Amino acid sequence: MYSKSQTLITGVYRTGTEYLTQLINTHREISATMYRVNVLRFIYNKYNPIEDEKNYTKALKELKERLQERYKLDIDINNIIEHIKLKKVKLTYGYLYDLIMSELYLDENKSHWAEKNQLLWREIPQFI
């Protein structure tokens, strides 16, 4: 359920980041998306402490609702919650982000994910 790598694509309007994302998405091992999950905008530092089950569960439920409403995209948050409980590691926002993206976009052929989010250069240190 882990990815081999994670990439954040960001930039300002009309700089080619959407084209770059679509180009990266053509690679057979990479799933690249745009604007959907947005962990740094909608989840990061809003559910502290994230390692508490009630907090990460609330974050996942709200994400599921937003993805369903906006994109008709369904995410099995029970798989993510089960994985967190099974691994028994301290949960971080980065780990949660990887679990979410892996659940949504990775399969036996895709092992890397990338997400394009507009205007997030200030958040690059948090992503790293």
Side-chain angles (χ1 to χ4, degrees):
M1 188 155 187
Y2 300 109
S3 64
K4 289 184 179 177
S5 71
Q6 313 86 34
T7 303
L8 175 66
I9 303 165
T10 191
V12 297
Y13 304 101
R14 305 195 50 77
T15 58
T17 53
E18 288 193 14
Y19 175 71
L20 175 65
T21 303
Q22 291 173 352
L23 189 62
I24 290 169
N25 195 48
T26 64
H27 192 284
R28 70 179 194 273
E29 294 179 17
I30 303 171
S31 184
T33 65
M34 291 187 274
Y35 309 117
R36 293 208 171 157
V37 177
N38 268 321
V39 164
L40 293 171
R41 183 165 287 143
F42 294 109
I43 296 177
Y44 184 71
N45 270 341
K46 294 183 174 129
Y47 298 91
N48 292 333
I50 194 62
E51 63 271 8
D52 286 357
E53 184 177 353
K54 66 179 169 97
N55 292 340
Y56 68 73
T57 301
K58 183 178 180 185
L60 289 168
K61 285 180 180 178
E62 290 178 6
L63 171 71
K64 179 180 178 75
E65 185 178 306
R66 182 173 56 82
L67 292 176
Q68 182 64 48
E69 185 176 317
R70 284 185 158 185
Y71 306 109
K72 307 296 182 235
L73 189 61
D74 192 31
I75 180 171
D76 189 346
I77 63 171
N78 292 325
N79 278 349
I80 296 171
I81 292 169
E82 183 179 317
H83 181 85
I84 292 167
K85 289 179 179 179
L86 209 66
K87 287 295 178 179
K88 296 182 182 176
V89 296
K90 183 175 180 188
L91 185 66
T92 64
Y93 282 101
Y95 186 55
L96 183 61
Y97 194 6
D98 190 27
L99 291 175
I100 291 165
M101 293 297 287
S102 297
E103 177 67 29
L104 281 169
Y105 298 110
L106 301 187
D107 58 27
E108 62 275 351
N109 299 315
K110 305 272 185 179
S111 55
H112 308 266
W113 62 260
E115 185 177 37
K116 180 213 188 272
N117 292 288
Q118 208 73 339
L119 305 172
L120 286 181
W121 57 85
R122 289 184 188 123
E123 285 79 3
I124 291 171
Q126 287 84 3
F127 181 81
I128 293 171

